[in-house]
């Protein structure tokens, strides 16, 4: 039969036979082509085809022709089909259908000719090339076999008459001459384009289209010796059948006698397909000895062997058992080549008519039957393929062995497995180890869970909002879940992690920085650096690189980061803030981060808090999917993890849970099938037993299987090329429910040196570094450690090694090894002391020592050694601001100190206690820190030894706002001890303030800036405690006390010429008490405060003081000298610094100032509301109730101005701590004013006047704005003719005077307000008033200062004035300008109000 070649473009179908409907329709445009189609099909049909088949095909042709004539010819107008003459259909030639646009060829070729062509492709290649081509050819042949199987399966299930077919008819249907193959004629072998496209059956005529989907995983070649591998592939079959009678399922049962016969005939056909031409190739390559005669299948009968012998001739039944699984008990003395007995075969064929027997079955001998079929494994094919063909042939002998196929469906399914997993099932060699499979990462029975993870990842990437997923299950379950993402980092907690809090999370983040640096372009890395340096500054970037070394890879090589000195204090709050900014910059929808932390049940509170801060970032910009593995059976009531769950829930972080139980029996069967490379149907019995033993725990399943293989209960026979097992033996196995017992038993059979190595490694958690191993190997006690790890434990699959560290393959392996240690504490201690002696890693040594029985040590000298080791180990973490790690070392040091250490080892005890108190404070352990401070003060020998402790104590108490009176008394006590005479009762505040004021007046700014840095520790200590005292007195809210200590602080600074990091605070604080009145003292205050700010900018060591100084300056004096917009921006900068340094109280102070200044500056209200919501969430997270109350008030004002009808009122603030009365009153006046509640503004202004003079003038900007709103309200009331016109006029004049003085300090901030009040005042007092000039000046001044809301107000008042004087045109213009300004401001309420006025004018 001639091959048929079709050339086509991408729009045409793949062959003339691939879609007869398409071709018939196209040919219907020219009736002359119908004859060509008929001739083509006649060539494809055998001449001896049944009449029914030919009649059915003729009907099909007519139907397709009719369909084509009725089709829209336009759809085929672009196809230029031409058909060659009939000579193209001659034998051995090709028939073509050409299309002009593309040159590729599709070939339809008889199966035998195609098979010969496959052999010719590799005939003249060298051996390696030939081997690769043969591997590809094997896949191609399996694909063809799959297609033939699907066709036969379709016939068996849809032909109602097939049960009446004779052997001859069935054999004719399964003949090699009854099939053809369609494929591309590439000329060369291409990995992506080699697939067989379609297989045709000639009689009855039908075809199967085979669609191939290449899998992403790369599989190596069958022999695993090179990397020129083939990908696995999924194949999908689509049957095309022209006979209606063959389109209805007529088979009642899946398995039938005819189905088995077809299986047998398919096996014979496949044996021919794979074995033909292979013997000659093997002989040419020297793989087969001359004289050996392994013939392919044939129809020739063979003589029967003589009497029973056990010769190893390659008969078919030997092939059956050689390449099949044996379920018999494995016995070395047993014949592993069981034979088919005469009586067994006779019984099997007794019910089969002689004519129905395959014609290649010979006579029956006394012992065995020889068939002329050699096992395919002798032709160089993989055992699994030989197994498949052998099991097919088994079906036709009536024996129906255990391994024989029962249906074509089973055979086709196994062919799909061969194609999908070629690395596992088509290997020529036995599997190396089960551990190679365990590292494959393939999932079993986790499709739903994987889909949940994928969906969550996609949500995070699209929304930009972090989510958390917690995966619960018993040990060994989670290992079957594969996590993948843009940046996927994984770490796991350990039971022995308590000595190193935060190390797991920081290690994961460090790994993330490495991934970003390695996978990101230089341009993107530069962008990351720029954003990160702007967000946290170079100093904090240096801190980041100190705790995450790989973060230095994000910094360009030409950038030198500043050195972090010991004065640069960082605590846990600042760490959280810095990590938040890192995640904001690194993660994005295009760079979504997936962080997987396993065994959360062993996580420490600090680590969970850091993860919480990342997930709950109020900016909501972290594209992070957090996945946590949890053994829920180990989480009890009161566990820190439960608080973590609650915290995420209260912060509205989307969290979900996945519960992983054991996988199903079918999934266990698939896992064992893939592990052993055995078809699932053949290992079903084994998998059922294993499932009952392991309850579907994936890790337990693999460990149990590994133990069976290790003990030869399941073994691979090199002679038989198959796996063998004894189900009865396996069923009788007594194993514990816990995998630890299984692993422990496995470890117990190891040698003593191997057990010792595992025990040592288990003491270092899941990982032990190569350096530590080398150090221990240099000792006599552990001399064979490294050799044992390398030569035995790594090779046996207990551990992995990447060149820098050894890692247990699973935490349960480590647990089992660790469980073998009898006295764990002593074992750890001895390891640590051995490392310490040889000079190993101090951290590794100390971590081991600290797990020892330290409380039982009797030798004081050894205790002091351990104290010094822990103190030394704490230095680096302390310098890097890793206070949690430092705390663990220092806490161990203090606990080991001998009795009477304050006497015998005073200096060592003092420094250990103080550093521990500092670390405890920075970690949030305030109670512990306070107790340590009390101990230092109690045992300190002199004031110099306790000054730092006093300072730390006051800082903690003041920050926590727990006992301000105690902090106040402590400051007074220390200052008196330092020589400052501080009275118990403050009586002469005014004279003290006056004295300090004179000291400043006598010195110019240049003199102040020329002050030399102080070196006296006593003077610096006095400045420090004055700073504490002023802060405490400010929070006490006793103004005269605060004024007095401010003055004393400034006087001491100037009198003694002390210039240090606290000097700028002294200047700005004193300036704040002089700026309350808009007089000459306020001008002096401006000069002093400005000088203090310059000093601060010059002192790099004053970073901790910056937030407090900025807050005081921009709340008080800064509002008189600098633009309000600048004050808002600089307050935001101070807030960032406060968060970076962990100074949350001062950061909160700066934040409140920033938001208030933004409101006054006319920031867009919608943006402002969004920012307020973010900071409200942050204040709630950090339990900053006063800040929260202030932000709530501003949020309400902004919401009302926008027009949010659901805005809440101030009334519910009673549940929060009290806020400043003047601040709340100022906000109420601001809100009422712009909402048009003039009477309410007038009333609130009277309440303001009733405040004490010191209270209402405490913050200048509040005093000034209240005067402005009160004056405008009086003008409106006067204009409306309300009662009390004289009072309104007087109040307007008073407000005008205040704004005139304020504009003298800052024209930018107050000139426009003064001009507007002036215009309002003149409009009611001066008959010669020129409204266009006066109001116009106010409008221009507002524009110049960028106060869009006040520009709108000036336009609105001017329009009302012109409207009152019947100048509607000008009023309309001004109203429109006002509307535009209010729109830019974002106030829908004001916009609607002005719109209504415009509408009224136009009507």
């Amino acid at each position: 039969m001639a091959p048929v070649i079709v050339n086509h473009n991408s729009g045409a179908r793949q062959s003339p036979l691939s879609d007869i409907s398409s071709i018939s329709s196209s040919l219907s445009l020219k009736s002359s082509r119908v004859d060509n189609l008929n001739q083509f099909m006649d060539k494809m049909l055998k001449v001896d085809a049944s009449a029914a088949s030919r009649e059915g095909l003729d009907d099909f042709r007519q139907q397709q022709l009719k369909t084509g004539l009725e089709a829209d010819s336009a759809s085929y107008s672009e196809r230029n089909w031409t058909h060659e003459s009939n000579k193209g259909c001659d034998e051995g030639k090709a028939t073509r259908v050409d299309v002009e646009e593309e040159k590729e060829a599709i070939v339809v070729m008889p199966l035998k000719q195609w098979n010969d062509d496959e052999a010719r492709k590799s005939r003249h290649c060298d051996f390696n090339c030939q081997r690769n081509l043969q591997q590809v050819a094997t896949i191609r042949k399996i694909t063809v076999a799959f297609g033939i199987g699907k066709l036969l399966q379709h016939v068996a299930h849809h032909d109602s008459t097939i049960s009446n077919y004779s052997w001859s008819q069935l054999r004719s249907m399964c003949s090699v001459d009854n099939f053809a193959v369609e494929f591309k004629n590439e000329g060369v072998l291409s990995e992506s384009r080699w697939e067989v496209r379609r297989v045709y059956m000639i009689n009855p005529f039908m075809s199967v289209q085979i669609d191939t989907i290449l899998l992403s995983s790369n599989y190596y070649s069958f022999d695993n010796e090179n990397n020129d591998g083939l990908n696995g592939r999924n194949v999908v079959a689509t049957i095309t059948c022209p006979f209606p009678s063959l389109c209805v399922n007529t088979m009642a049962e899946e398995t039938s006698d005819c189905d088995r016969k077809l299986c047998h005939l398919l096996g014979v056909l496949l044996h021919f397909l794979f074995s033909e031409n292979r013997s000659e190739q093997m002989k040419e390559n020297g793989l087969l000895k001359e004289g050996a005669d392994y013939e392919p299948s044939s129809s020739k009968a063979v003589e029967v062997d003589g009497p029973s012998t056990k010769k190893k001739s390659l008969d078919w039944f030997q092939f059956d058992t050689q390449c099949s699984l044996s379920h018999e008990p494995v016995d070395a003395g047993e014949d592993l080549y069981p034979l088919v007995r005469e009586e067994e075969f006779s019984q099997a064929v007794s019910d089969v008519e002689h004519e129905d027997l395959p014609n290649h079955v010979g006579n029956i001998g006394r012992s065995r039957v020889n068939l002329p079929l050699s096992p395919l494994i002798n032709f160089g094919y993989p055992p699994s393929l030989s197994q498949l063909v052998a099991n097919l042939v088994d079906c036709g002998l009536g024996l129906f062995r255990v391994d024989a196929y029962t249906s074509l469906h089973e055979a086709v399914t196994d062919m799909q497995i061969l194609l999908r997993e070629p690395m596992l099932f088509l290997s020529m060699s036995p599997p190396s180890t089960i551990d190679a499979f365990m590292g494959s990462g393939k999932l079993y029975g986790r499709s739903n869970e994987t889909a949940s993870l994928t969906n969550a990842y996609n949500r995070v990437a699209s929304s930009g909002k972090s989510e958390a997923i917690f995966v619960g299950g018993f040990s060994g379950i989670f290992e079957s879940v594969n996590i993948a993402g843009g940046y996927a980092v994984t770490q796991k907690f350990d039971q022995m992690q308590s000595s190193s809090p935060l190390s797991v999370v920081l290690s994961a983040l460090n790994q993330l920085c490495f991934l970003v640096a390695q996978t990101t372009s230089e341009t993107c890395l530069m962008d990351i650096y720029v954003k990160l340096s702007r967000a946290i500054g170079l100093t904090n970037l240096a801190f980041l690189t100190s705790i995450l070394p790989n973060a230095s890879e994000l910094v360009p090589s030409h950038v030198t980061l500043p050195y972090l000195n010991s004065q640069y204090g960082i605590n846990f709050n600042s760490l959280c803030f810095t990590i938040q900014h890192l995640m904001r910059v690194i993660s994005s929808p295009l760079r979504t981060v997936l962080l997987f932390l396993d065994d959360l049940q062993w996580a420490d509170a600090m680590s969970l808090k850091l993860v919480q801060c990342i997930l709950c970032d109020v900016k909501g910009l972290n594209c992070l999917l957090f996945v946590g593995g949890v053994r829920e059976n180990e989480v009890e009531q009161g566990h820190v993890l439960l608080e973590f769950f609650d915290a995420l829930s209260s912060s509205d972080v989307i969290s979900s849970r996945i519960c992983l139980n054991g996988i199903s029996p079918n999934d266990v069967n698939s896992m064992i099938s893939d592990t052993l490379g055995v078809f699932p149907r053949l290992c079903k019995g084994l998998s059922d037993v294993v499932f009952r033993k392991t309850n579907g725990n994936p890790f337990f399943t693999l460990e149990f299987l590994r133990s069976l293989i290790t003990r030869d209960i399941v073994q691979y026979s090199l002679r038989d090329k198959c796996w063998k097992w004894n189900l009865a033996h396996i069923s009788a196995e007594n194993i514990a429910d816990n995998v630890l017992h299984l692993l422990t038993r496995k470890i117990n059979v190891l040698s003593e040196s191997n057990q010792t190595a595992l025990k040592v490694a288990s003491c270092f958690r899941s990982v032990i570094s190569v350096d530590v191993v080398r150090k221990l190997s240099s000792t006599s006690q552990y001399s064979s450690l490294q050799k044992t790890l390398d030569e035995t434990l790594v090779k046996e699959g207990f551990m992995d090694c990447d060149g820098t560290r050894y890692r247990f393959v699973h935490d349960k392996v480590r647990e089992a090894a660790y469980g073998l240690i009898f006295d764990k504490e002593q074992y750890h201690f001895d390891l640590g002391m051995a490392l310490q002696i040889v000079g190993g890693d101090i951290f590794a040594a100390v971590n081991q020592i600290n797990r020892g029985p330290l409380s039982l040590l009797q030798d004081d000298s050894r205790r002091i050694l351990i104290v010094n080791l822990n103190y030394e180990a704490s230095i680096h973490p302390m310098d890097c601001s890793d206070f949690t790690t430092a705390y663990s070392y220092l806490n161990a040091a203090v606990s080991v100190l001998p009795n009477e250490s304050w006497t015998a080892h005073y200096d060592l005890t003092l420094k250990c206690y103080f550093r521990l108190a500092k670390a405890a404070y920075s970690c949030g352990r305030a109670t512990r820190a306070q107790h340590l401070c009390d101990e230092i003060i109690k045992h300190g020998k002199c004031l110099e030894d306790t000054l730092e402790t006093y300072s730390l104590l006051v800082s903690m108490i003041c920050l926590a706002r727990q006992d301000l009176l105690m902090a106040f008394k402590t400051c007074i006590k220390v200052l008196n001890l330092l020589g400052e005479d501080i009275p118990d009762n403050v009586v002469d505040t005014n004279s003290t303030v006056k004295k300090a004021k004179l000291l400043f007046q006598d010195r110019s700014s240049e003199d102040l800036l020329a002050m030399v840095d102080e070196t006296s520790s006593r003077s610096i200590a006095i400045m420090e405690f004055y700073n504490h005292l002023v802060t405490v007195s400010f929070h006490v809210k006793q103004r005269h006390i605060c004024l007095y200590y401010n003055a004393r602080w400034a006087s001491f600074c100037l009198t003694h010429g002390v210039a240090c990091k606290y000097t700028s605070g002294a200047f700005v604080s004193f300036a704040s008490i002089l700026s309350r009145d808009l007089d000459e003292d306020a001008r002096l205050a401006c000069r002093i405060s400005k000088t203090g700010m310059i000093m601060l900018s010059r002192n790099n060591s004053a970073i901790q003081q910056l937030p407090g100084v900025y807050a005081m300056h921009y709340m008080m004096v800064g509002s008189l000298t600098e633009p309000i917009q600048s004050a808002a921006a600089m307050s935001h900068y101070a807030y960032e610094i406060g968060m970076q340094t962990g100074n949350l109280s001062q950061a909160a102070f700066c934040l409140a100032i920033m938001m208030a200044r933004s409101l006054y500056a006319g920031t867009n209200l919608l943006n402002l509301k969004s920012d307020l919501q973010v900071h409200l969430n942050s204040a709630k997270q950090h339990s900053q109730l006063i800040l929260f109350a202030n932000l709530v008030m501003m949020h309400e004002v902004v919401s009302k101005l926008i027009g949010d009808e659901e805005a809440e009122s101030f009334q519910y603030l009673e549940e929060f701590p009290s806020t400043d009365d003047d601040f709340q009153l100022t906000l109420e006046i601001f809100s009422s004013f712009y909402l048009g509640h003039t009477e309410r503004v007038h009333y609130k202004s009277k309440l303001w006047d009733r405040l004490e003079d010191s209270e209402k003038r405490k913050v200048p900007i509040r005093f000034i704005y209240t005067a402005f709103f009160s004056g405008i309200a009086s003008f409106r009331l006067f204009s409306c003719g309300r009662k009390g016109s004289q009072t309104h006029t007087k109040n307007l004049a008073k407000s005008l005077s205040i704004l005139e003085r304020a504009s003298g300090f800052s024209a930018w901030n107050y000139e426009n307000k003064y001009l507007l009040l002036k215009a309002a005042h003149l409009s009611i007092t001066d008959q010669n008033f020129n409204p266009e000039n006066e109001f116009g000046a106010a409008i221009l001044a507002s524009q110049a200062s960028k106060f869009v809301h006040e520009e709108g107000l000036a336009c609105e008042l001017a329009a009302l004035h012109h409207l009152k004087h019947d100048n509607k045109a000008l009023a309309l213009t001004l109203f429109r300008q006002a509307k535009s300004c209010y729109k830019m401001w974002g106030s829908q309420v004001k916009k609607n109000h002005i719109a209504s006025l415009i509408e009224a004018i136009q009507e």
Side-chain angles (χ1 to χ4, degrees), residues 32 63 100 154 214 381 436 537 618 922 931 968 977 990 1075 1182:
S32 62
Q63 181 182 357
E100 297 177 354
H154 185 84
L214 294 181
Y381 286 104
V618 293
S922 300
H931 173 72
F968 182 80
L977 291 173
N990 292 334
S1075 62
H1182 294 96

Side-chain angles (χ1 to χ4, degrees), residues 1059-1133:
C1060 63
K1061 62 182 180 180
Y1062 302 106
T1063 303
S1064 58
F1067 284 17
V1068 173
S1069 294
F1070 183 70
S1072 66
I1073 67 176
L1074 297 179
S1075 62
R1076 299 173 187 272
D1077 294 316
L1078 302 177
D1079 54 12
E1080 290 302 316
D1081 283 352
R1083 297 192 180 279
L1084 176 62
C1086 292
R1087 180 173 71 88
I1088 296 172
S1089 191
K1090 182 179 179 180
T1091 303
M1093 295 294 287
I1094 295 175
M1095 284 184 168
L1096 181 66
S1097 65
R1098 294 179 178 180
N1099 194 330
N1100 294 329
S1101 65
I1103 188 71
Q1104 290 281 354
Q1105 285 67 45
L1106 186 146
V1109 174
Y1110 268 54
M1112 186 61 68
H1113 173 73
Y1114 287 107
M1115 184 177 72
M1116 306 296 290
V1117 181
S1119 61
L1120 295 177
T1121 59
E1122 299 180 37
I1124 293 178
Q1125 295 92 334
S1126 176
M1130 298 309 294
S1131 296
H1132 181 263
Y1133 168 72

Side-chain angles (χ1 to χ4, degrees), residues 14 153 179 225 300 318 340 349 460 480 482 578 627 687 712 737 743 793 800 861 876 961 978 1072 1184 1242 1283 1363 1375:
Q14 297 178 351
Q153 184 182 3
F179 296 94
E225 294 180 358
K300 180 181 178 182
Q318 284 183 314
V340 180
V349 300
V460 171
S480 63
N482 186 25
T578 304
V627 181
S687 67
D712 289 334
D737 293 335
L743 293 170
L793 299 182
D800 293 327
S861 62
H876 178 70
R961 310 277 182 90
L978 288 171
S1072 66
Q1184 297 170 310
H1242 183 64
K1283 294 182 179 180
L1363 183 62
F1375 274 136

Side-chain angles (χ1 to χ4, degrees), residues 420-608:
R420 186 172 60 248
E421 303 284 1
M423 183 183 73
L424 300 177
F425 290 90
L426 292 178
S427 174
M428 292 298 298
S429 305
S432 55
T433 62
I434 192 175
D435 303 286
F437 169 76
M438 290 180 65
S440 66
K442 184 175 180 179
L443 299 179
Y444 295 91
R446 300 301 184 207
S447 57
N448 293 335
E449 292 82 356
T450 304
S452 297
L453 292 175
T454 303
N455 292 337
Y457 181 83
N458 292 335
R459 284 197 305 270
V460 171
S462 60
S463 67
K465 294 184 179 180
S466 299
E467 292 189 23
I469 295 181
F470 299 99
V471 184
F474 292 92
S475 176
I477 296 289
F478 192 78
E479 281 66 25
S480 63
V481 175
N482 186 25
I483 305 299
Y487 293 133
V489 291
T490 64
Q491 286 290 334
K492 66 187 308 174
F493 290 95
D494 193 278
Q495 279 181 307
M496 295 186 292
Q497 200 77 39
S498 57
S499 61
S500 303
L502 287 179
S503 61
V504 172
V505 179
L506 293 180
S507 177
L509 295 174
N510 192 45
Q511 181 184 353
L512 173 61
C513 292
F514 176 79
L515 287 176
V516 173
Q518 294 297 313
T519 60
T520 307
S521 65
E522 293 185 3
T523 302
C524 292
L525 281 178
M526 178 59 69
D527 181 62
I528 290 174
Y529 163 73
V530 171
K531 291 180 179 179
L532 196 57
S533 59
R534 288 176 179 174
I536 63 176
L538 291 180
T539 303
N540 283 282
L541 187 53
F543 159 66
L544 184 65
T545 59
S546 69
I547 59 173
L548 304 178
N550 287 331
S552 60
E553 299 294 327
L554 307 178
V555 181
S557 57
H558 66 274
V559 176
T560 302
L561 297 177
Y563 171 76
L564 293 180
N565 55 42
S566 58
Q567 294 179 332
Y568 187 77
I570 294 289
N571 57 28
F572 180 73
N573 291 324
S574 59
L575 171 65
C576 292
F577 181 81
T578 304
I579 296 299
Q580 280 181 339
H581 275 280
L582 172 68
M583 294 301 295
R584 291 177 193 172
V585 172
I586 286 181
S587 63
S588 68
L590 296 179
R591 296 194 300 259
T592 303
V593 175
L594 190 150
L595 173 61
F596 169 41
L597 299 181
D598 199 4
D599 289 331
L600 285 181
Q601 72 279 357
W602 293 330
D604 59 281
M606 300 295 289
S607 296
L608 294 177

Side-chain angles (χ1 to χ4, degrees), residues 746-1039:
K746 181 179 178 180
I747 294 174
N748 276 331
V749 300
L750 297 175
S751 66
E752 182 178 353
S753 61
N754 288 337
Q755 291 187 34
T756 299
L758 284 174
K759 291 176 183 178
V760 170
S762 70
C763 290
F764 293 87
R765 304 194 302 256
S766 299
V767 175
I768 180 172
S769 70
V770 172
D771 291 337
V772 170
V773 171
R774 288 172 181 167
K775 288 292 184 181
L776 286 173
S777 298
S778 66
T779 65
S780 59
Q781 185 177 0
Y782 307 106
S783 58
S784 63
L785 178 62
Q786 186 167 13
K787 181 180 179 181
T788 302
L789 289 173
D790 290 334
E791 295 183 0
T792 304
L793 299 182
V794 172
K795 292 182 179 179
E796 291 294 328
F798 290 95
M799 305 189 76
D800 293 327
C801 182
D802 60 5
T804 61
R805 58 185 183 175
Y806 297 89
R807 177 187 291 275
F808 282 97
V809 295
H810 194 277
D811 66 296
K812 281 299 176 185
V813 179
R814 190 203 65 79
E815 286 185 50
Y818 190 66
L820 297 178
I821 302 174
F822 177 70
D823 188 348
K824 293 179 173 57
E825 290 188 350
Q826 190 62 46
Y827 204 90
H828 281 289
F829 185 81
D830 293 342
L831 270 177
M833 294 304 293
L835 273 175
Q836 179 267 326
I837 292 173
V838 297
D841 181 0
I842 186 173
F843 300 105
V846 173
N847 288 339
Q848 294 300 313
I849 291 172
N850 288 346
R851 294 186 62 81
L854 302 183
S855 60
L856 301 180
L857 291 177
Q858 301 296 325
D859 186 358
D860 284 357
S861 62
R862 177 165 280 195
R863 282 178 172 266
I864 293 302
L865 171 64
I866 294 173
V867 171
N868 282 308
L869 286 173
N870 274 282
Y871 183 84
E872 182 181 353
S874 72
I875 293 176
H876 178 70
M878 201 78 166
D879 291 343
C880 294
S881 301
D882 183 4
F883 295 108
T884 53
T885 302
Y887 176 85
S888 66
Y889 290 128
L890 291 166
N891 191 51
V894 169
S895 67
V896 182
L897 282 168
N899 295 330
E900 306 301 328
S901 63
W902 281 107
T903 302
H905 308 280
Y906 176 79
D907 292 338
L908 178 61
T909 304
L910 178 65
K911 67 180 183 181
C912 285
Y913 265 79
F914 176 72
R915 289 178 70 89
L916 178 58
K918 186 176 181 181
Y921 164 61
S922 300
C923 291
R925 297 179 170 92
T927 303
R928 170 74 164 150
Q930 184 170 342
H931 173 72
L932 292 166
C933 289
D934 292 339
E935 286 294 308
I936 297 172
I937 293 171
K938 176 182 177 181
H939 295 95
K941 294 182 177 180
C942 60
L943 181 62
E944 285 74 13
D945 290 345
T946 58
L947 275 176
E948 287 184 307
T949 304
Y950 275 121
S951 177
L952 182 61
L953 185 62
V954 173
S955 297
M956 288 188 300
I957 296 172
C958 183
L959 181 64
R961 310 277 182 90
Q962 293 176 343
D963 192 345
L964 295 177
L965 182 59
M966 177 184 174
F968 182 80
K969 291 181 177 179
T970 301
C971 291
I972 296 294
K973 172 185 175 181
V974 174
L975 285 171
N976 281 319
L977 291 173
L978 288 171
E980 286 292 290
D981 184 16
I982 306 296
D984 293 335
N985 297 318
V986 176
V987 293
D988 196 9
T989 300
N990 292 334
S991 62
T992 304
V993 172
K994 183 177 180 181
K995 177 182 176 181
K997 185 171 65 174
L998 291 174
L999 290 173
F1000 277 107
Q1001 289 175 341
D1002 292 341
R1003 291 168 173 80
S1004 65
S1005 298
E1006 290 74 15
D1007 294 336
L1008 296 175
L1009 293 173
M1011 294 170 61
V1012 180
D1013 290 344
E1014 182 60 52
T1015 58
S1016 170
S1017 59
R1018 177 183 175 277
S1019 297
I1020 294 176
I1022 292 174
M1023 291 288 288
E1024 180 182 5
F1025 279 92
Y1026 266 125
N1027 180 38
H1028 290 318
L1029 186 58
V1030 168
T1031 303
V1032 173
S1033 61
F1034 176 82
H1035 292 303
V1036 172
K1037 295 185 178 181
Q1038 295 186 18
R1039 182 176 180 273

Side-chain angles (χ1 to χ4, degrees), residues 39-170:
Q39 293 173 5
F40 175 81
M41 288 188 172
D42 284 338
K43 285 291 183 179
M44 294 299 293
L45 283 173
K46 292 183 65 70
V47 295
D48 60 347
S50 64
S53 296
R54 297 184 61 81
E55 182 180 356
L57 181 57
D58 289 337
D59 293 340
F60 175 72
R61 290 172 177 168
Q62 296 300 323
Q63 181 182 357
Q64 297 303 314
L65 180 60
K66 180 179 180 181
T67 303
L69 291 172
E70 295 174 353
D72 181 5
S73 61
S75 62
Y76 297 97
S77 60
E78 296 182 1
R79 299 183 180 181
N80 183 21
W81 294 90
T82 60
H83 208 75
E84 293 187 356
S85 62
N86 291 345
K87 66 180 180 179
C89 294
D90 291 342
E91 189 72 24
K93 296 185 179 181
T95 300
R96 293 179 178 271
V97 182
D98 296 323
V99 179
E100 297 177 354
E101 296 184 7
E102 192 167 319
K103 303 300 182 182
E104 63 185 24
I106 299 299
V107 179
V108 179
M109 187 179 290
L111 177 59
K112 189 177 186 306
Q113 184 179 344
W114 175 84
N115 198 39
D116 294 339
D117 187 62
E118 288 293 308
R120 285 194 296 271
K121 286 182 179 178
S122 59
R123 186 64 56 84
H124 303 293
C125 301
D126 60 44
F127 176 72
N128 288 330
C129 177
Q130 186 178 106
R131 180 178 56 181
N132 291 337
L133 292 178
Q134 288 173 354
Q135 291 168 357
V136 176
T138 300
I139 295 289
R140 292 165 66 105
K141 290 183 179 182
I142 295 174
T143 306
V144 171
F146 168 76
I148 294 173
K150 293 297 290 186
L151 290 171
L152 293 177
Q153 184 182 3
H154 185 84
V155 172
H157 292 185
H158 296 81
D159 189 347
S160 59
T161 65
I162 195 169
S163 59
N164 299 324
Y165 281 25
S166 65
W167 265 108
S168 176
Q169 290 174 311
L170 291 176

Side-chain angles (χ1 to χ4, degrees), residues 279-280 283 287-295 314 374 378:
S279 297
E280 183 179 350
K283 289 178 181 179
L287 299 178
L288 196 64
K289 293 182 179 180
E290 293 293 334
D293 189 18
Y294 297 148
E295 293 296 336
L314 291 169
S374 296
N378 295 322

Side-chain angles (χ1 to χ4, degrees), residues 1316-1349:
L1316 186 57
L1317 282 174
K1318 178 182 176 183
H1321 186 262
L1322 291 176
S1323 68
I1324 60 177
T1325 60
D1326 188 353
Q1327 295 181 351
N1328 298 322
F1329 168 65
N1330 187 337
E1332 294 185 18
N1333 290 342
E1334 300 298 336
F1335 280 112
I1339 293 171
L1340 292 175
S1342 299
Q1343 290 176 346
S1345 298
K1346 302 184 187 329
F1347 296 142
V1348 66
H1349 60 314

